[in-house]
Amino acid sequence: MLEKVDLKRKLEKGTFKTLAPDLRERLGELQRRAKDLDIPVGVVFEGWDGAGKGTLMNELILALDPRGFQVHNVGGPTEDGRFWPPMRRFWKLLPPRGRMALYNRSWYRRVLEDPLEEGAFEEILSFERQLAQDGYLIVKFFLHISKKEQKKRLQALEADPATSWRVTDQDWEHHKRYDRTETLVESMLQRTDKGHAPWTLVEAHDREYATVKILTTVIQALEQQIARVEAARALGAAPTPPLVTRSTPDPLKPAILRSLDLDLSVAQKEYKKQLKELQERLRDIQYELYRVRRPLVVAFEGPDAAGKGGCIKRLTQELDPRGYQVVPTSAPNDWERAHHYLWRFWTAFPKAGHVGIFDRSWYGRVLVERVEGFCSEGEWRRAYGEINEMEEQWVRSGALMVKFWLHISQEEQLRRFEEREKTPCKNWKITPEDWRNREKWPRHEEAAEEMLLRTSTPGAPWVVVEANCKEYARLKVLRKVVETAEGGLGKK
Amino acid sequence: MLEKVDLKRKLEKGTFKTLAPDLRERLGELQRRAKDLDIPVGVVFEGWDGAGKGTLMNELILALDPRGFQVHNVGGPTEDGRFWPPMRRFWKLLPPRGRMALYNRSWYRRVLEDPLEEGAFEEILSFERQLAQDGYLIVKFFLHISKKEQKKRLQALEADPATSWRVTDQDWEHHKRYDRTETLVESMLQRTDKGHAPWTLVEAHDREYATVKILTTVIQALEQQIARVEAARALGAAPTPPLVTRSTPDPLKPAILRSLDLDLSVAQKEYKKQLKELQERLRDIQYELYRVRRPLVVAFEGPDAAGKGGCIKRLTQELDPRGYQVVPTSAPNDWERAHHYLWRFWTAFPKAGHVGIFDRSWYGRVLVERVEGFCSEGEWRRAYGEINEMEEQWVRSGALMVKFWLHISQEEQLRRFEEREKTPCKNWKITPEDWRNREKWPRHEEAAEEMLLRTSTPGAPWVVVEANCKEYARLKVLRKVVETAEGGLGKK
């Protein structure tokens, strides 16, 4: 998840001043409502040294009624701590119903500081699941800064006589191990990002941006939980006035896609040369995969007319047809619908040594099905975890994987749609549905952003491809497939 | 769980002939109803070689509409199987909605035949959870026979020329490894007994008994799932007539408690001698526990007036009061109710080196709260797994544990109640609530039976104590505590 975080996100001071008071007021209101409904809330702050946990917790606290919350500073393991089962200290720090606990560091210290401790993940997952099932709302933040930013912040603290005492040798030790720790963090986020206790990654370089993201996330989580509790009660008791939920403020919306330079391009001559070279390497790779019996899975997603078909054609052009299969995914038919939504993808998984290319994929659940309401909110929220579990199993069994999001601008899509309509031989490619989907562009984009963040994992990463120039996109796709396969085969 | 199974259970042929036709008819009816509601059902048959999986599956099939189910014989790992991620073959065998799959062996082969395979449990749990969340009904049977019975059956098959070919050298190899396999089975059952996919242990010595238990379990599971689906639909659609569920036929009810010889007793002189000896050993043990910093947890449950208090008094009489604590558990107070129901027990867990004695315990959830309706059915069903997870964490962190169910007959309870009422100094011990509880004796017994079966684990076993004779009960309790502690300390 971390590599998909855009640490350059910022919020203008002016925008912050407009947004913040309103958010704080709303949060106070929701805190009171959660109290009336007896909802217990736990908010976890994890993150890098120097990421600003203290400062940002304080920004959240400013909005809260002090009688309704408690802050717990979770220290490292103590001598005394070893006299009890590890999770006991966190059970003791549980908020009672109707109150809120803020954790400055948390039970996740266990897996970050002693990654080999047996059973720790299992115990953490059991803890959060048991609480969620009992009605606890769990919000988890990881405050992310780059290694460079961390260094800058530590140096600034050291330079100031008033704060230099805060920087210890240990902090610098930790800083040196940033890259190794990042791998641990990545695996921790992946294994513990559950529908009932999701992680929110906070881009923490800019304080205003981080503050607004934290406030907004807590507000939305409270809104959802309150709505759930009220709906459940309404079945038995008198209905309460329904809660109006609010959408994410615009400057906070994820912007992986909007910050792409979509017009990256390549000259025809260079394209032809590189294409030929990459296709030849791909053929060698295909035989090597077969020899060592490793399957390769390549998945394509993206807006209509983004050029998925063209990429797949170039990808397979020089391959041995006995060793690959292109699996087109459209709306499930009756027989597919009669099974679990992942069933058809498990069934289509390529045999060891073969290449499986998915033209659209299992991600339909969190993309079109989410946007069109073909499944419930609970279903698509749960799907991130379900999909990660599936891909993890595939990777564990030896599969190499890469997933492409081909992205084009709305204008480019319009141009391609019109061209399709005008060109008789391409006319079949455009349907009224394509025009309808186009109208929901912002919601599709929002779904794509969340998917990229929640399901890009080290074993099955998402690669976002700037695809206004088809040739550029095709080369990038082929190159990434070659790199993925060669990396997995130990050639790079 | 296995050690709590009473393999002597039998059903008279006459009773079987009365019950079976009715059960079969009911099952056919429910199968049709599940089909109409699009409920997919998976029934797993695991069990010992020779336990009669084929025969018993057939008994179930006899009741079913052949167009609505499919049988899958799950073989061992094949050469070809290694070319795919392990769970793919089971995804391929999923029943579509409205249909039923019967598995003769299943995904559990993975953990029984290759117990060291990395990630297998995780993948199985993910598989069943994903299916359950999608509306699949999962029923899992483990057919249990003793080592002796297995030998007898293999010999009988060998002796008959018509069946001798069915017994291979491998079967005898497996038979020799019975005890080792039993440990694997126990751990498999414990780790995968979830509310959404519970195990049913089938006492398989007697074919009639096993048949009726299997039919009844499938019927009850279908009834519950149908009721759930109909309730969910009723929120949106027109209500369907509510389903009348049926209770367990009497000869099938669990009978651990009813088969006890409650009148086991001990003479006064012998009692005094042994008591003194055990109490002295206990004191030594207490110091040893403190020295090596291991906590000891002893929990007591049982009907009112079963003698828990008297046992605890004898247990603690010679102990050093600085090293033990008796934790009485009554109905939760407001502050306790404001937390997760396990919170107060986590909080009361003894420090390493200390002894924690619980007079009633966290099992209240699946006993009195179940019987009195103080929690929902979903809550107490989920609690078995939650409690097992908690105790597993305690044991993993070094705790020694033993749990006692003190049992007395209804007549003995009456005698003691009347005595309490007559004796001024004991009068405070008897309340109107005790009399009310007494009226629900069969339901308390049923809850206790299910608890004993589902939560007796190797690390935290239940010991059932015949307690009509108080002195006998006290000696048994003290002896078991001594044995548990000495076993855990490596002295036995």
Side-chain angles (χ1 to χ4, degrees):
Chain A
M1 294 164 82
L2 290 175
E3 98 285 2
K4 286 279 172 292
V5 174
D6 175 9
L7 290 173
K8 295 196 204 74
R9 302 302 298 272
K10 260 176 175 308
L11 206 64
E12 296 306 319
K13 293 255 188 295
T15 319
F16 179 74
K17 283 189 182 148
T18 325
L19 285 172
D22 184 36
L23 291 172
R24 293 212 180 97
E25 190 181 318
R26 175 67 170 170
L27 190 55
E29 185 187 329
L30 290 168
Q31 188 196 5
R32 285 189 294 277
R33 192 132 174 188
K35 183 166 177 292
D36 290 344
L37 289 168
D38 268 349
I39 299 173
V41 183
V43 185
V44 168
F45 286 83
E46 288 283 350
W48 298 101
D49 291 339
K53 283 186 288 290
T55 311
L56 292 168
M57 284 181 81
N58 211 39
E59 290 281 4
L60 176 62
I61 287 169
L62 282 176
L64 299 173
D65 177 341
R67 291 160 305 180
F69 73 87
Q70 199 169 357
V71 175
H72 301 292
N73 294 301
V74 175
T78 59
E79 180 60 28
D80 193 58
R82 283 194 246 142
F83 290 144
W84 315 93
M87 294 310 287
R88 176 179 173 274
R89 61 193 288 222
F90 306 112
W91 277 91
K92 288 194 74 168
L93 299 182
L94 279 188
R97 298 188 202 290
R99 290 173 65 96
M100 194 183 275
L102 309 186
Y103 300 95
N104 178 18
R105 305 298 309 273
S106 67
W107 38 96
Y108 286 101
R109 286 195 91 125
R110 291 185 64 190
V111 289
L112 291 176
E113 287 165 17
D114 186 5
L116 296 177
E117 190 196 348
E118 198 212 343
F121 271 114
E122 212 176 318
E123 296 187 1
I124 286 173
L125 289 172
S126 155
F127 179 63
E128 293 183 352
R129 181 172 22 79
Q130 292 199 9
L131 296 181
Q133 286 194 309
D134 194 42
Y136 282 71
L137 172 63
I138 305 165
V139 184
K140 302 185 294 195
F141 293 110
F142 187 86
L143 310 190
H144 190 33
I145 55 174
S146 67
K147 188 172 181 180
K148 210 170 127 194
E149 176 75 13
Q150 190 181 41
K151 189 174 178 182
K152 219 173 76 188
R153 292 189 180 190
L154 291 176
Q155 283 171 340
L157 284 170
E158 261 186 346
D160 182 343
T163 55
S164 62
W165 61 273
R166 284 179 54 191
V167 182
T168 63
D169 288 351
Q170 211 197 16
D171 289 328
W172 285 111
E173 273 306 306
H174 286 170
H175 175 69
K176 272 189 218 148
R177 287 203 305 262
Y178 183 101
D179 296 327
R180 220 187 317 160
T181 308
E182 194 175 17
T183 313
L184 285 181
V185 170
E186 183 71 50
S187 130
M188 171 192 91
L189 295 172
Q190 193 188 331
R191 290 180 72 173
T192 58
D193 186 42
K194 301 290 171 189
H196 56 263
W199 280 104
T200 299
L201 288 174
V202 179
E203 301 84 344
H205 283 203
D206 182 69
R207 176 170 166 177
E208 282 76 20
Y209 179 86
T211 300
V212 169
K213 180 150 186 181
I214 287 169
L215 292 174
T216 309
T217 305
V218 175
I219 285 172
Q220 289 177 341
L222 278 168
E223 285 176 344
Q224 282 164 19
Q225 188 79 348
I226 288 169
R228 268 194 291 270
V229 171
E230 285 183 344
R233 296 208 180 172
L235 291 178
T240 48
L243 190 75
V244 183
T245 60
R246 60 168 59 194
S247 57
T248 309
D250 209 53
L252 218 67
K253 286 205 170 126
I256 302 176
L257 298 178
R258 276 183 290 164
S259 62
L260 291 175
D261 178 4
L262 290 177
D263 294 320
L264 288 170
S265 67
V266 65
Q268 272 299 322
K269 203 174 141 194
E270 185 59 23
Y271 168 64
K272 286 196 177 145
K273 184 172 151 262
Q274 286 196 28
L275 184 69
K276 191 155 179 288
E277 193 190 305
L278 286 165
Q279 286 180 332
E280 276 164 16
R281 277 167 78 185
L282 261 174
R283 187 163 43 181
D284 293 346
I285 283 170
Q286 190 191 13
Y287 288 126
E288 181 65 9
L289 285 168
Y290 190 78
R291 210 182 54 77
V292 301
R293 285 293 189 185
R294 301 275 301 265
L296 170 66
V297 173
V298 185
F300 288 90
E301 293 284 356
D304 294 324
K308 293 183 287 293
C311 281
I312 291 173
K313 201 165 150 192
R314 274 39 172 220
L315 188 61
T316 56
Q317 215 155 24
E318 297 296 321
L319 294 185
D320 184 329
R322 292 166 300 183
Y324 78 86
Q325 203 184 353
V326 177
V327 184
T329 303
S330 46
N333 61 32
D334 284 353
W335 187 242
E336 288 163 342
R337 232 190 306 269
H339 292 81
H340 191 282
Y341 76 100
L342 291 176
W343 172 79
R344 56 176 169 154
F345 304 105
W346 271 99
T347 309
F349 187 85
K351 193 169 174 175
H354 291 241
V355 181
I357 298 165
F358 291 84
D359 185 353
R360 300 205 180 274
S361 71
W362 43 98
Y363 284 99
R365 189 71 158 198
V366 295
L367 295 169
V368 59
E369 291 189 40
R370 164 182 174 172
V371 173
E372 298 292 338
F374 294 153
C375 66
S376 72
E377 183 175 341
E379 283 171 332
W380 62 258
R381 286 201 182 276
R382 201 165 70 214
Y384 299 115
E386 292 174 339
I387 288 172
N388 283 340
E389 284 176 3
M390 178 178 77
E391 293 182 354
E392 196 188 336
Q393 293 188 32
W394 291 357
V395 169
R396 188 191 288 136
S397 80
L400 302 172
M401 283 192 71
V402 59
K403 304 173 297 200
F404 293 104
W405 178 268
L406 300 194
H407 204 60
I408 52 175
S409 64
Q410 272 190 284
E411 301 70 40
E412 177 64 19
Q413 190 189 47
L414 182 62
R415 216 186 49 68
R416 293 187 187 181
F417 276 11
E418 285 169 353
E419 191 195 318
R420 285 181 176 184
E421 287 201 323
K422 278 187 298 199
T423 317
C425 76
K426 290 191 176 173
N427 203 272
W428 61 273
K429 279 180 150 183
I430 181 99
T431 67
E433 204 187 312
D434 292 326
W435 289 103
R436 275 197 305 276
N437 285 342
R438 194 176 145 71
E439 284 164 27
K440 294 177 188 152
W441 186 278
R443 289 168 58 198
H444 280 282
E445 208 172 61
E446 192 186 343
E449 296 268 5
E450 187 163 359
M451 170 195 79
L452 293 173
L453 191 68
R454 290 207 183 274
T455 60
S456 193
T457 58
W462 275 107
V463 175
V464 179
V465 180
E466 303 82 350
N468 275 5
C469 165
K470 290 181 178 179
E471 290 77 15
Y472 177 87
R474 290 169 193 163
L475 289 184
K476 182 162 177 179
V477 164
L478 263 73
R479 201 174 305 115
K480 284 286 175 186
V481 173
V482 166
E483 284 171 13
T484 303
E486 290 188 344
L489 291 166
K491 292 205 160 182
K492 278 281 153 106
Chain B
M1 293 165 83
L2 290 175
E3 99 285 2
K4 286 279 171 292
V5 175
D6 174 10
L7 289 171
K8 296 196 204 77
R9 304 298 302 267
K10 261 176 174 304
L11 206 65
E12 296 306 318
K13 293 256 188 297
T15 319
F16 178 74
K17 282 190 182 145
T18 326
L19 285 172
D22 184 37
L23 291 173
R24 293 211 178 96
E25 191 181 318
R26 175 67 170 168
L27 190 55
E29 186 187 330
L30 290 168
Q31 188 196 6
R32 286 189 294 278
R33 194 135 172 188
K35 183 166 179 293
D36 291 343
L37 289 168
D38 269 347
I39 298 173
V41 184
V43 185
V44 168
F45 286 83
E46 288 285 350
W48 296 102
D49 293 337
K53 282 187 288 292
T55 311
L56 291 169
M57 284 182 80
N58 211 40
E59 290 281 2
L60 176 61
I61 287 169
L62 282 176
L64 298 173
D65 177 342
R67 290 160 305 180
F69 73 89
Q70 200 171 356
V71 174
H72 300 293
N73 293 303
V74 175
T78 60
E79 180 61 29
D80 193 57
R82 284 195 247 141
F83 291 144
W84 314 93
M87 293 310 287
R88 176 178 173 274
R89 61 194 289 222
F90 305 113
W91 277 92
K92 289 196 73 165
L93 299 182
L94 279 189
R97 298 188 201 289
R99 291 173 64 96
M100 194 182 274
L102 309 185
Y103 301 95
N104 178 18
R105 305 299 308 272
S106 68
W107 38 95
Y108 286 101
R109 283 196 91 123
R110 291 185 65 191
V111 288
L112 291 177
E113 287 165 18
D114 185 3
L116 296 178
E117 188 194 351
E118 198 213 345
F121 270 113
E122 211 177 319
E123 295 187 2
I124 286 173
L125 290 172
S126 156
F127 179 64
E128 293 182 352
R129 180 171 23 79
Q130 292 200 9
L131 296 180
Q133 286 194 307
D134 194 42
Y136 282 72
L137 172 64
I138 305 165
V139 184
K140 303 186 295 196
F141 292 110
F142 187 88
L143 310 190
H144 190 34
I145 55 176
S146 67
K147 186 170 183 181
K148 208 169 129 194
E149 177 76 14
Q150 189 182 43
K151 187 171 180 184
K152 219 174 78 187
R153 291 188 181 189
L154 291 175
Q155 283 170 340
L157 285 169
E158 259 186 345
D160 183 342
T163 55
S164 62
W165 61 274
R166 284 178 54 190
V167 182
T168 64
D169 287 352
Q170 212 197 13
D171 290 329
W172 285 112
E173 272 306 307
H174 286 171
H175 175 69
K176 270 188 222 153
R177 286 202 306 263
Y178 183 101
D179 297 326
R180 219 184 321 159
T181 308
E182 194 174 17
T183 313
L184 286 181
V185 170
E186 183 71 48
S187 131
M188 171 191 90
L189 295 172
Q190 193 188 332
R191 290 181 71 172
T192 58
D193 186 42
K194 299 292 170 189
H196 57 261
W199 280 104
T200 299
L201 288 174
V202 180
E203 301 84 344
H205 283 201
D206 181 69
R207 175 171 168 175
E208 283 75 21
Y209 179 85
T211 301
V212 169
K213 179 150 187 179
I214 287 169
L215 292 174
T216 309
T217 306
V218 174
I219 285 172
Q220 289 177 341
L222 278 167
E223 285 176 343
Q224 282 164 16
Q225 188 79 346
I226 287 168
R228 268 195 290 271
V229 171
E230 286 182 343
R233 297 210 177 173
L235 291 180
T240 49
L243 191 75
V244 182
T245 59
R246 59 169 60 197
S247 57
T248 310
D250 208 54
L252 220 64
K253 288 209 170 122
I256 302 175
L257 298 179
R258 275 183 291 164
S259 63
L260 291 175
D261 178 2
L262 291 177
D263 295 320
L264 289 170
S265 66
V266 65
Q268 272 299 324
K269 201 175 143 197
E270 185 61 20
Y271 167 66
K272 287 194 176 149
K273 183 170 151 264
Q274 287 195 29
L275 184 68
K276 189 153 180 286
E277 193 190 307
L278 287 165
Q279 286 178 333
E280 277 164 15
R281 278 167 77 185
L282 261 173
R283 187 162 43 180
D284 293 346
I285 284 169
Q286 189 192 12
Y287 289 126
E288 179 67 9
L289 285 168
Y290 190 79
R291 210 181 53 78
V292 301
R293 284 291 190 186
R294 301 273 304 263
L296 170 66
V297 173
V298 185
F300 289 89
E301 294 283 357
D304 293 323
K308 294 184 287 292
C311 281
I312 292 173
K313 200 164 152 193
R314 274 45 175 212
L315 188 58
T316 56
Q317 216 155 24
E318 297 297 321
L319 294 184
D320 183 330
R322 291 166 300 183
Y324 77 84
Q325 202 184 352
V326 177
V327 184
T329 303
S330 46
N333 61 31
D334 284 353
W335 187 242
E336 288 163 342
R337 233 190 306 269
H339 291 81
H340 191 282
Y341 76 100
L342 290 176
W343 173 79
R344 56 175 168 155
F345 304 106
W346 271 99
T347 308
F349 187 86
K351 192 168 177 177
H354 291 240
V355 181
I357 298 165
F358 291 85
D359 185 353
R360 300 206 180 274
S361 70
W362 44 97
Y363 285 99
R365 189 72 158 196
V366 295
L367 295 168
V368 60
E369 291 190 37
R370 163 183 174 171
V371 173
E372 298 292 336
F374 294 153
C375 65
S376 72
E377 183 173 342
E379 283 172 332
W380 62 257
R381 286 199 182 278
R382 204 166 69 213
Y384 299 116
E386 292 174 338
I387 288 172
N388 282 340
E389 285 176 2
M390 179 178 75
E391 293 182 354
E392 197 189 334
Q393 293 188 31
W394 291 357
V395 169
R396 188 191 287 136
S397 79
L400 301 172
M401 284 192 71
V402 59
K403 304 174 296 199
F404 293 103
W405 178 267
L406 300 195
H407 204 61
I408 52 174
S409 64
Q410 272 189 282
E411 300 70 40
E412 178 64 18
Q413 191 189 45
L414 182 62
R415 214 187 49 69
R416 294 187 187 182
F417 277 11
E418 285 169 351
E419 191 196 318
R420 285 181 177 186
E421 289 201 322
K422 276 186 299 196
T423 316
C425 76
K426 290 191 176 173
N427 204 273
W428 61 274
K429 280 180 149 184
I430 182 100
T431 67
E433 204 187 312
D434 293 326
W435 288 103
R436 277 198 303 276
N437 285 342
R438 194 175 145 75
E439 282 164 28
K440 294 177 188 154
W441 186 278
R443 288 169 59 200
H444 280 282
E445 205 171 63
E446 194 186 342
E449 296 268 6
E450 187 163 0
M451 171 195 79
L452 292 173
L453 192 66
R454 292 208 182 273
T455 59
S456 192
T457 58
W462 275 105
V463 175
V464 179
V465 181
E466 302 83 349
N468 275 6
C469 165
K470 290 180 179 180
E471 290 77 16
Y472 176 86
R474 293 171 191 162
L475 289 183
K476 182 162 178 179
V477 164
L478 264 72
R479 202 175 303 116
K480 285 286 173 185
V481 173
V482 165
E483 283 171 13
T484 302
E486 291 189 343
L489 291 167
K491 292 205 160 181
K492 274 284 154 101

